[in-house]
Amino acid sequence: MTLDIHLKHTFPTFSADVDICLPTPGVTALFGPSGCGKSTVMSAVSGLLKADEVRVVLDGVVLSDLHPADRGVGVVFQDGRLFPHMTVDSNLRYGMKRAQAGPVDFAETVELLGIGHLLDRRPGKLSGGERQRVAIGRALLRQPRLLLMDEPLSALDAGRKDEILPFLTRLHDDMRIPMLLVTHSIDEVARLADTLVLMRNGSVVAQGPVGDILTRADLDFASANQAGAVIAARIVSHDPTRGLTKLDAGGVMIWIPMIEEPPSARRRIRVPASEVSLALDDPGPTSADNIVSGVVLNLRETPDRRMTLVEIAAGQARLLSQLTPDAARQLRLEPDMPVKALFKAIGVQVV
Amino acid sequence: MTLDIHLKHTFPTFSADVDICLPTPGVTALFGPSGCGKSTVMSAVSGLLKADEVRVVLDGVVLSDLHPADRGVGVVFQDGRLFPHMTVDSNLRYGMKRAQAGPVDFAETVELLGIGHLLDRRPGKLSGGERQRVAIGRALLRQPRLLLMDEPLSALDAGRKDEILPFLTRLHDDMRIPMLLVTHSIDEVARLADTLVLMRNGSVVAQGPVGDILTRADLDFASANQAGAVIAARIVSHDPTRGLTKLDAGGVMIWIPMIEEPPSARRRIRVPASEVSLALDDPGPTSADNIVSGVVLNLRETPDRRMTLVEIAAGQARLLSQLTPDAARQLRLEPDMPVKALFKAIGVQVV
Amino acid sequence: MWFELNNYEWQAIRLSLIVAANAVAMGLPVAILVSLLLRWPRLPFRSVLNIVVHLPLVLPPVVVGWMLLVVFGVRGPIGSLLNDWFGIRLVFTASGAALACAVMTFPLMVRAIRLSLDSVDSGLEDAASTLGAKRLDTFFTVTLPLMAPGVVSGAITAYAASLGEFGAVITFASNVPGQTQTLPLAIFTALQTPGGEEAAAKLATISVILAVGGLLLGEWVGKRLRP
Amino acid sequence: MWFELNNYEWQAIRLSLIVAANAVAMGLPVAILVSLLLRWPRLPFRSVLNIVVHLPLVLPPVVVGWMLLVVFGVRGPIGSLLNDWFGIRLVFTASGAALACAVMTFPLMVRAIRLSLDSVDSGLEDAASTLGAKRLDTFFTVTLPLMAPGVVSGAITAYAASLGEFGAVITFASNVPGQTQTLPLAIFTALQTPGGEEAAAKLATISVILAVGGLLLGEWVGKRLRP
Amino acid sequence: QAPVTSTQTVFAAASMSDALRKVNDAWVAHGNASLQFNFAASSTLIRQIDQSAKAAVFISADERWADWGIERGLLVKSSRVSPIGNRLVLIAPNNSSLTRLDLTKTTDLVALLGRNGRLATGDPAHVPVGRYAEQALTWMNQWTAINPRLARADSVRSAMLLVERGEAPLGIVYETDAAVSTRVKIVGIFPKESHEAVTYPFVLVKAQDSPDARAVLAFLIGPEALEIYRSFGFTTP
Ligand SMILES: Nc1ncnc2c1ncn2[C@@H]1O[C@H](COP(=O)(O)OP(=O)(O)OP(=O)(O)O)[C@@H](O)[C@H]1O
Ligand SMILES: Nc1ncnc2c1ncn2[C@@H]1O[C@H](COP(=O)(O)OP(=O)(O)OP(=O)(O)O)[C@@H](O)[C@H]1O
Ligand code: MOO
Ligand SMILES: [Mg+2]
Ligand SMILES: [Mg+2]
């Protein structure tokens, strides 16, 4: 099943021409510099932008033929748009009342977003982050069949983000609600998104699975210290004394800090390229909990020649390591050379 | 010289009681969860909040006795507040026209913020990030003697941030404009701030130099993967063939990707604790450009027991490394033990 | 006593209140509807509608009364229909006085409402539609509450102006004590009589008191409505 | 020809335009000032001012004309001062007609302006002050432009209503052809004359045309002002 | 007599405006400076004179306001004349089935009104035509019966409009007004004795008394002017 977006629209000094085909259910991140047209795409999907040419198809339903109210799309707007004349409670319930009963629970959402104490207040008396959380809640409680979120977490602190992200992941995993997410944080992309759409200047530069796009050195991610490998893994066992969990990532055993999941549960992990050091021999006692033997697949130097990105095959998994071109030379790295990839358990992100 | 802020204010369901003393000129980051009172502090300093009790003294001048218009404070509001009836150009020039000539140059600021093509447009026709950049420009061009910025970069992509941050640093270094910055990004804190004020629930939990606060394991930073060492360094030499620059960081030589600064220029660097691996012996050929010998100063396990933060003395410098408690046990780390700290050149941030 | 009122004067007070309230009740829904129509830029004959709305403001009240008589009189196009189908006659009745006041104050209501309507952020209406609200639903839950200050202000202005409306009422509904003699008509009658100044002053004072009541109510409602 | 106008009628048109323009020019600055005063919640005698502002709306126009005559007449408290000190006489002059129109339309202006003023985001005024703008500066560069829709709407309403203002003008300024006989007064005079309906209709049409010109101008300005 | 070169102002009942403009043309033709008029309701005019408006001559549609002005010492009592008059008539819409009838004490107007019909005339409380109508109806002993059935208009023209539009089956107006309307017919003329004579008093204003003002008044009531009034349908003795 897919979400297809075809959009052509021209503003006086900007034109968007976008064709996107996304797998559903899944989380897609729209990523790109300010002013590249991300919000424009969102408006077109929600039906609020009367675009010159637009066709949006979700799992066979031609959304663009429907009135915005009938699309069943929950939107978190970049500029909030809470109803100023209603309490937080009424804001939250506005969409809920108009939707069929659905999987998103009022009490749970309020609890999770930490807005229970705000229910009686008007949006005018909220802090920036509080407003943003209410906006997220309003869109979720609308029981959407598609969720559009324009930088939903930008005003939130890391702690709050860490609480909300798993909730969004669960919406995706358990309730199979597809999401389109605009974000500037590669961390959010890695933790939430399956698919990444990279935009620039009104068009799509690249789209595909997050893992593929993030490891592409021709895109900006590498230089922005954002490259990394995303790997599907299965929990093998827990070691409570060491406080670690062992994962099987395509035949490679990887240790991560202990997580509360039953063995053989499947999780995705992300190993940032910056976390991975390479060594030729076994390095002796070190703080790297993971020492993975692999083979150099290829080396790519970034255009600015400040960094070399090395792709390593280890079992079925691919790892990425970023190092200075000098270090690559010192190690005389070349394709097919066996190497050890060293990284710490706490450097691995479970997404 | 200092910026002193004393504030007591009560909203129906929230009260702030804050005493902050900050060195000037310098950049101070206000950090804390959503709704903890950061914007409230900003409003009080700018004079817009008629607080119950407020006293703000900047370098001996009692700002709180002055009308907001006379305080010479440039403000980037969390909610933008661009004048909707003026073009971007008029918005930018609004404060400039009313201020004495100052060091911030119009053309340069516009260029740097990438808003040259927007000058004739009204704010209503800008994207979210474009609006935010105009708001930053407006506050800077006001030639402030104190700059207050409430999440100024939250809607910007990494590339744009990377351009703006050094400009802000320069304002601070060259023009000695003190800044108070609200941000949720520890990266921005590390790159920009000298002083960190950590707030929670209307009060200040901790305040002090960024290096000190970020390395304190009792605060949330460590667990949020945000700990790191900030070290003052001097450029020793460049090695163009290797593409590296050698720094003297308190007697320890550290390699970083080459930067364009004359030798003996002083820069601050940040070595994130996540970047630093520890080994007991020399690890043999590895991608770590920096192998620094030091002595374990202390080990602190975070309250959630997921991470151990190790402080290492190397020359006059302090490095931080984060590892799993298990790795610490395996290495039998204990105070005064000699260790090797390994980290890549590209893992070092020049701030 | 200065403030003793005779029967006709009591009736005038009662009638004025009824007429003003009915004028607002009649005019307001239509004014809201017309404001919404005028907001729609591609409305056919938009400028014609706009002009018609403003006529009562521009023309001397007597002319408006005259035109009402032509349209709503028993021989008029609308008046004859009302008379034939429902047996409703407006001329010489309190309903007619209310109609005259509604028409005279209509432009004031529309202006106030449009002013508020223009300041409603259409982004919020958009947000409502993504939350599943259709056009009417959005109107009643978002647009109307947000434009409420204009609606209230328009209603209060219309109420106050109805309390002072003279020319159109006397021309259309004539001056029948107890039926169409509202306060301004009574005041005018008193003024036209040699030595009637004192009675006029008394009635004018009452008129002001009634209006102040309305104004205070309006301010109070307006304050409660502000987000 | 139907549209031939005699000398008096041309004069009435010219005079109506001058009177309406002067009424707006006189009333508008004061209306803006009063609106700002009324916005300030701790103003002493705020409600008294509010009531005074609304009086012309509530009272029958003739009463307002009568009160003007008493206050601004050569024997009145203000009129005698103006007469003694500056030799200005308002009664029976075009300036007097303009004053009457200004007073009658004053509440309409204030209401429109306050409505817009209430929707001005005070956060923007705050922003201006952090950018170094003092109170007056902020007012002229931020508040006034943002409340401009209300000011324009108020001005246009006042202009249109001035074109139709009858009772107060004829009472205070009298009905002197060429001097104070504005269009509504000419219409009235025509209507009072046996067989004058046609002349009245002609003048009413002209009145509407003049008003439409103002309305269009107002819409145009309003559209240009909207951000 | 030497021409009057000063500007003289005449305050006159609005219903006189057309006739007086004609008279002014004649006045100017004699080499005099054009008169200035102020046309309004008699009550408004006399109140303005009370507030020291500069009127030379006051022409009222109603003797009462002339009395009031004289009582207050605003007008020159000795100068008062009532050179023209009007007749009070009963009118009905053109399509009315009523035919011309003689109005006598026995004419049953209530019956003519039908079940719900109203009789339109000026408000007897302040409009002169209404007061004459009240007198006439009282003379006919029908005042108490008709009073609640009156449609009280603010001027004779508004009253006539109500009849023209068929809102009222009957109306009492002046002959001059009925004559110009094509949509009403005169059904009857009230006998002279049924009401005070409908007269228009012309009076000098005391504050502006001067030879020029007197010359104006003399012309306004002179034979040339009377001819003009007659041409507009006013009666002269
Ligand atoms: N006008 C107001 N009335 C009542 N409470 C308010 C008002 N403004 C803010 N608050 C409350 O005061 C607290 C602090 O608000 P403040 O805006 O300073 O938070 P903040 O630290 O800036 O948060 P954020 O990161 O979400 O912007 C919040 O709990 C908020 O709900
Ligand atoms: N109403 C409008 N009129 C004219 N240009 C517009 C309008 N709205 C947006 N634009 C322009 O279209 C482009 C895309 O805007 P859009 O809001 O989609 O950007 P974005 O990718 O969401 O950026 P950001 O990350 O800054 O929010 C921008 O260059 C913007 O200036
Ligand atoms: O003064 Mo009139 O002509 O009886 O209405
Ligand atoms: Mg956007
Ligand atoms: Mg805030």
Side-chain angles (χ1 to χ4, degrees):
Chain A
M1 306 288 265
T2 56
L3 170 65
D4 296 284
I5 305 170
H6 167 78
L7 165 70
K8 273 203 168 81
H9 187 71
T10 305
F11 285 122
T13 57
F14 171 86
S15 63
D17 184 350
V18 168
D19 266 296
I20 309 178
C21 175
L22 306 167
T24 61
V27 179
T28 301
L30 274 182
F31 203 88
S34 167
C36 69
K38 305 178 294 296
S39 301
T40 305
V41 170
M42 301 291 248
S43 306
V45 174
S46 64
L48 298 178
L49 176 74
K50 302 284 166 281
D52 299 342
E53 203 177 291
V54 65
R55 188 177 160 83
V56 180
V57 185
L58 174 64
D59 299 342
V61 182
V62 186
L63 287 190
S64 42
D65 288 350
L66 301 176
H67 186 270
D70 295 324
R71 296 192 181 192
V73 174
V75 186
V76 178
F77 295 95
Q78 194 172 12
D79 51 355
R81 303 203 191 173
L82 297 180
F83 301 126
H85 59 296
M86 298 182 193
T87 59
V88 167
D89 188 70
S90 309
N91 265 284
L92 291 172
R93 292 187 192 274
Y94 191 91
M96 199 166 92
K97 273 198 225 143
R98 284 160 180 81
Q100 295 183 308
V104 186
D105 179 63
F106 185 82
E108 189 193 5
T109 306
V110 165
E111 159 78 26
L112 179 105
L113 293 168
I115 50 182
H117 61 297
L118 307 174
L119 290 180
D120 292 333
R121 239 189 269 170
R122 295 275 175 93
K125 298 195 162 178
L126 299 181
S127 80
E130 287 165 349
R131 265 195 285 270
Q132 205 171 34
R133 286 180 274 156
V134 176
I136 296 173
R138 187 177 68 169
L140 294 180
L141 288 166
R142 183 236 184 295
Q143 314 291 357
R145 61 178 172 192
L146 171 64
L147 197 50
L148 306 179
M149 300 195 285
D150 206 337
E151 306 190 25
L153 306 174
S154 64
L156 299 183
D157 50 295
R160 186 58 72 178
K161 265 188 214 182
D162 288 346
E163 286 169 45
I164 296 179
L165 277 171
F167 183 65
L168 294 178
T169 308
R170 232 186 55 224
L171 285 182
H172 159 228
D173 289 354
D174 301 356
M175 305 174 190
R176 319 201 58 71
I177 302 174
M179 297 184 205
L180 203 56
L181 171 83
V182 172
T183 175
H184 292 300
S185 153
I186 203 71
D187 176 57
E188 283 170 31
V189 171
R191 288 168 73 176
L192 205 52
D194 313 298
T195 310
L196 186 61
V197 175
L198 189 63
M199 291 187 61
R200 189 148 311 155
N201 245 326
S203 23
V204 173
V205 179
Q207 55 181 310
V210 165
D212 293 4
I213 305 280
L214 286 187
T215 49
R216 270 177 61 181
D218 61 331
L219 304 174
D220 272 355
F221 295 110
S223 62
N225 283 318
Q226 294 171 325
V230 177
I231 315 171
R234 193 174 48 78
I235 293 174
V236 176
S237 63
H238 300 294
D239 185 338
T241 34
R242 295 182 63 190
L244 298 177
T245 291
K246 185 153 85 175
L247 301 179
D248 177 344
V252 181
M253 294 304 141
I254 291 182
W255 291 100
I256 60 171
M258 205 155 87
I259 57 174
E260 307 217 342
E261 297 274 345
S264 85
R266 310 199 150 269
R267 305 302 284 152
R268 264 190 317 161
I269 57 170
R270 175 167 186 263
V271 187
S274 62
E275 289 282 337
V276 179
S277 299
L278 297 182
L280 297 187
D281 312 321
D282 218 323
T286 150
S287 64
D289 308 88
N290 294 294
I291 301 176
V292 174
S293 302
V295 174
V296 171
L297 267 182
N298 59 53
L299 298 107
R300 286 174 299 194
E301 213 169 288
T302 55
D304 65 1
R305 323 195 118 256
R306 299 176 67 80
M307 185 189 293
T308 298
L309 212 55
V310 183
E311 199 170 347
I312 299 132
Q316 267 92 64
R318 298 279 173 280
L319 285 170
L320 268 184
S321 171
Q322 66 186 26
L323 36 143
T324 50
D326 177 63
R329 280 191 293 276
Q330 304 263 328
L331 293 175
R332 285 182 241 277
L333 290 183
E334 53 187 48
D336 296 331
M337 198 170 132
V339 286
K340 308 273 179 197
L342 285 64
F343 53 97
K344 303 183 218 170
I346 45 172
V348 179
Q349 296 163 7
V350 180
V351 299
Chain B
M1 307 287 266
T2 57
L3 169 65
D4 296 284
I5 304 170
H6 167 78
L7 164 70
K8 272 204 170 77
H9 188 70
T10 305
F11 285 122
T13 57
F14 171 85
S15 63
D17 184 350
V18 168
D19 266 295
I20 308 178
C21 175
L22 307 166
T24 62
V27 178
T28 300
L30 273 183
F31 203 89
S34 169
C36 71
K38 305 179 294 295
S39 300
T40 304
V41 170
M42 300 291 247
S43 305
V45 174
S46 65
L48 298 177
L49 176 74
K50 303 283 165 282
D52 299 343
E53 202 177 291
V54 63
R55 188 177 159 83
V56 181
V57 185
L58 174 65
D59 299 343
V61 182
V62 185
L63 287 189
S64 42
D65 287 350
L66 301 175
H67 186 269
D70 295 325
R71 295 191 183 192
V73 174
V75 185
V76 178
F77 294 95
Q78 194 172 12
D79 50 355
R81 303 203 192 174
L82 297 180
F83 300 126
H85 59 295
M86 297 183 194
T87 58
V88 167
D89 188 70
S90 310
N91 265 284
L92 291 172
R93 292 186 193 277
Y94 191 92
M96 200 167 93
K97 272 198 225 144
R98 284 161 178 81
Q100 294 182 310
V104 186
D105 179 62
F106 185 82
E108 189 192 5
T109 306
V110 165
E111 159 78 25
L112 178 105
L113 293 168
I115 50 182
H117 62 297
L118 307 173
L119 289 180
D120 292 332
R121 239 188 270 171
R122 294 275 175 94
K125 299 195 160 177
L126 299 181
S127 80
E130 287 164 349
R131 267 196 284 270
Q132 205 172 36
R133 285 180 274 157
V134 175
I136 295 173
R138 186 176 69 168
L140 294 180
L141 287 166
R142 182 237 183 295
Q143 313 291 356
R145 61 179 172 192
L146 171 64
L147 197 51
L148 307 179
M149 302 194 285
D150 206 338
E151 305 191 26
L153 306 174
S154 65
L156 298 183
D157 51 295
R160 186 58 72 179
K161 266 189 213 180
D162 287 346
E163 285 168 45
I164 296 178
L165 277 171
F167 182 65
L168 294 178
T169 309
R170 233 186 54 225
L171 285 181
H172 159 229
D173 289 354
D174 302 356
M175 305 172 191
R176 323 201 56 70
I177 302 174
M179 296 183 206
L180 203 56
L181 172 83
V182 172
T183 176
H184 292 303
S185 153
I186 202 72
D187 177 57
E188 283 169 32
V189 170
R191 288 168 73 176
L192 205 52
D194 313 298
T195 310
L196 186 60
V197 175
L198 190 62
M199 290 187 62
R200 189 149 309 154
N201 245 324
S203 24
V204 173
V205 178
Q207 56 180 310
V210 166
D212 293 3
I213 304 280
L214 286 188
T215 49
R216 270 177 61 181
D218 60 331
L219 303 174
D220 272 355
F221 296 110
S223 62
N225 283 317
Q226 295 171 325
V230 178
I231 316 171
R234 194 174 47 79
I235 292 173
V236 176
S237 63
H238 299 295
D239 185 338
T241 36
R242 295 183 62 191
L244 298 177
T245 291
K246 186 153 83 175
L247 302 179
D248 178 343
V252 181
M253 294 304 141
I254 291 181
W255 291 98
I256 61 171
M258 204 155 86
I259 56 174
E260 306 217 343
E261 297 273 345
S264 85
R266 309 198 151 272
R267 306 302 281 149
R268 261 190 320 159
I269 57 171
R270 175 167 185 264
V271 187
S274 63
E275 290 281 337
V276 179
S277 299
L278 297 182
L280 297 186
D281 313 321
D282 217 322
T286 152
S287 62
D289 308 89
N290 295 293
I291 302 176
V292 174
S293 302
V295 174
V296 171
L297 268 182
N298 59 53
L299 298 109
R300 286 174 298 192
E301 215 169 287
T302 55
D304 64 2
R305 322 194 119 256
R306 300 174 67 80
M307 185 189 292
T308 298
L309 212 55
V310 184
E311 200 170 348
I312 300 133
Q316 267 93 63
R318 298 278 175 278
L319 286 169
L320 268 184
S321 172
Q322 66 186 26
L323 37 145
T324 50
D326 175 62
R329 279 191 293 277
Q330 304 262 330
L331 294 174
R332 285 181 241 276
L333 291 183
E334 53 187 47
D336 297 331
M337 196 169 135
V339 286
K340 308 272 178 198
L342 285 64
F343 52 96
K344 301 183 218 169
I346 45 171
V348 180
Q349 296 164 6
V350 181
V351 298
Chain C
M1 248 243 351
W2 197 83
F3 245 90
E4 242 161 56
L5 296 173
N6 68 28
N7 208 22
Y8 282 134
E9 289 165 342
W10 274 118
Q11 283 186 334
I13 294 173
R14 207 182 60 97
L15 200 67
S16 274
L17 284 176
I18 291 174
V19 165
N22 278 325
V24 174
M26 268 190 229
L28 203 57
V30 187
I32 292 175
L33 206 78
V34 168
S35 304
L36 290 173
L37 281 178
L38 287 174
R39 187 195 198 190
W40 188 33
R42 278 163 311 160
L43 180 76
F45 305 111
R46 190 172 165 280
S47 44
V48 174
L49 179 62
N50 201 8
I51 291 169
V52 170
V53 163
H54 283 86
L55 280 186
L57 199 59
V58 178
L59 294 173
V62 179
V63 174
V64 177
W66 198 280
M67 288 166 74
L68 285 176
L69 211 47
V70 170
V71 176
F72 289 95
V74 276
R75 295 222 197 127
I78 301 182
S80 59
L81 288 185
L82 287 177
N83 193 24
D84 297 351
W85 295 4
F86 309 101
I88 297 176
R89 289 187 72 159
L90 289 171
V91 186
F92 310 136
T93 64
S95 315
L99 176 67
C101 289
V103 168
M104 284 302 292
T105 57
F106 193 71
L108 304 181
M109 289 195 260
V110 171
R111 283 233 147 228
I113 293 169
R114 285 196 64 191
L115 209 48
S116 260
L117 196 53
D118 281 348
S119 71
V120 171
D121 177 3
S122 62
L124 295 173
E125 297 172 310
D126 283 353
S129 79
T130 67
L131 291 165
K134 289 293 184 54
R135 201 173 286 200
L136 262 188
D137 188 358
T138 301
F139 172 72
F140 281 107
T141 55
V142 178
T143 318
L144 191 59
L146 290 175
M147 71 195 238
V151 175
V152 172
S153 176
I156 293 304
T157 311
Y159 166 81
S162 292
L163 286 180
E165 192 47 54
F166 169 74
V169 174
I170 198 169
T171 308
F172 179 60
S174 101
N175 185 359
V176 183
Q179 281 183 38
T180 64
Q181 189 178 64
T182 55
L183 277 172
L185 273 58
I187 294 172
F188 182 78
T189 306
L191 268 185
Q192 296 304 101
T193 318
E197 284 87 353
E198 196 183 307
K202 182 171 67 177
L203 291 170
T205 310
I206 292 169
S207 197
V208 171
I209 292 170
L210 296 186
V212 166
L215 290 179
L216 291 182
L217 183 71
E219 298 250 316
W220 182 77
V221 173
K223 207 168 285 162
R224 302 221 56 194
L225 284 176
R226 208 159 304 146
Chain D
M1 252 250 339
W2 196 81
F3 244 89
E4 242 161 58
L5 297 172
N6 68 27
N7 208 24
Y8 286 129
E9 289 165 340
W10 274 118
Q11 284 185 336
I13 294 173
R14 208 181 61 97
L15 199 67
S16 272
L17 284 176
I18 292 175
V19 165
N22 278 324
V24 173
M26 266 190 232
L28 203 57
V30 187
I32 292 175
L33 206 77
V34 168
S35 304
L36 290 173
L37 281 178
L38 287 174
R39 187 194 198 191
W40 188 34
R42 278 162 312 159
L43 180 76
F45 304 111
R46 190 171 166 279
S47 44
V48 174
L49 178 61
N50 202 8
I51 291 168
V52 170
V53 163
H54 283 86
L55 279 188
L57 198 59
V58 179
L59 294 173
V62 179
V63 174
V64 177
W66 180 248
M67 287 166 74
L68 286 176
L69 207 51
V70 171
V71 175
F72 288 96
V74 277
R75 298 215 208 125
I78 300 182
S80 60
L81 287 185
L82 287 177
N83 193 23
D84 297 351
W85 295 4
F86 308 102
I88 297 175
R89 289 186 70 158
L90 288 172
V91 188
F92 317 128
T93 64
S95 314
L99 175 67
C101 288
V103 168
M104 284 302 292
T105 58
F106 193 71
L108 304 181
M109 289 196 260
V110 171
R111 284 234 147 226
I113 293 169
R114 285 195 64 190
L115 210 47
S116 260
L117 196 53
D118 280 349
S119 72
V120 171
D121 176 4
S122 62
L124 295 174
E125 297 173 310
D126 284 352
S129 79
T130 68
L131 291 165
K134 289 292 185 54
R135 200 174 287 201
L136 262 187
D137 189 358
T138 301
F139 173 72
F140 281 108
T141 55
V142 178
T143 318
L144 191 59
L146 290 176
M147 70 195 238
V151 174
V152 171
S153 176
I156 293 303
T157 312
Y159 165 81
S162 292
L163 286 180
E165 192 46 55
F166 169 73
V169 174
I170 201 170
T171 310
F172 178 61
S174 86
N175 183 8
V176 182
Q179 280 182 34
T180 63
Q181 188 177 67
T182 55
L183 279 171
L185 273 57
I187 293 172
F188 165 79
T189 309
L191 276 182
Q192 291 304 308
T193 318
E197 283 87 355
E198 195 182 309
K202 183 171 67 177
L203 291 170
T205 310
I206 292 170
S207 198
V208 171
I209 291 171
L210 295 186
V212 167
L215 290 180
L216 291 181
L217 183 73
E219 297 250 317
W220 183 77
V221 173
K223 208 167 284 164
R224 302 221 56 194
L225 285 176
R226 208 158 306 146
Chain E
Q1 198 192 350
V4 172
T5 52
S6 60
T7 307
Q8 297 295 319
T9 306
V10 176
F11 278 30
S15 49
M16 303 277 305
S17 55
D18 274 6
L20 284 173
R21 279 198 196 112
K22 271 271 168 57
V23 173
N24 185 41
D25 291 343
W27 169 254
V28 172
H30 286 288
N32 298 301
S34 176
L35 297 173
Q36 206 163 56
F37 291 103
N38 178 17
F39 297 117
S42 310
S43 60
T44 303
L45 295 172
I46 194 68
R47 284 206 166 91
Q48 288 172 347
I49 291 170
D50 191 27
Q51 291 289 330
S52 53
K54 288 194 170 122
V57 177
F58 173 49
I59 305 174
S60 176
D62 183 356
E63 298 288 348
R64 278 194 315 164
W65 286 110
D67 298 343
W68 190 78
I70 286 167
E71 266 168 42
R72 289 184 68 102
L74 301 171
L75 306 175
V76 181
K77 186 176 178 187
S78 60
S79 68
R80 174 173 179 166
V81 275
S82 299
I84 55 173
N86 217 331
R87 272 191 296 217
L88 202 60
V89 297
L90 184 70
I91 56 168
N94 260 349
N95 60 358
S96 163
S97 56
L98 287 179
T99 50
R100 190 83 179 208
L101 43 88
D102 272 332
L103 292 171
T104 65
K105 286 209 176 203
T106 55
T107 316
D108 187 355
L109 289 179
V110 179
L112 293 179
L113 279 175
R115 225 153 39 85
N116 293 319
R118 284 180 178 270
L119 176 76
T121 188
D123 187 345
H126 62 87
V127 183
V129 74
R131 284 201 307 109
Y132 297 124
E134 179 178 346
Q135 290 166 6
L137 294 168
T138 309
W139 176 77
M140 292 168 82
N141 273 324
Q142 302 190 18
W143 171 244
T144 29
I146 294 246
N147 185 17
R149 306 283 297 273
L150 279 189
R152 299 150 177 258
D154 68 326
S155 78
V156 64
R157 306 292 304 155
S158 303
M160 198 164 78
L161 178 69
L162 292 172
V163 180
E164 284 180 341
R165 301 299 313 169
E167 299 297 339
L170 289 177
I172 300 177
V173 299
Y174 299 127
E175 189 181 19
T176 44
D177 295 291
V180 292
S181 172
T182 53
R183 295 160 126 181
V184 297
K185 57 184 180 193
I186 294 177
V187 183
I189 298 180
F190 287 92
K192 268 212 173 78
E193 63 273 24
S194 68
H195 57 90
E196 283 173 18
V198 180
T199 51
Y200 297 78
F202 289 51
V203 208
L204 269 179
V205 177
K206 216 178 238 174
Q208 302 293 318
D209 193 358
S210 69
D212 282 1
R214 289 180 178 261
V216 170
L217 178 58
F219 186 82
L220 289 176
I221 59 181
E224 203 174 345
L226 290 183
E227 192 49 47
I228 294 172
Y229 299 140
R230 264 194 295 274
S231 72
F232 277 87
F234 292 100
T235 57
T236 51

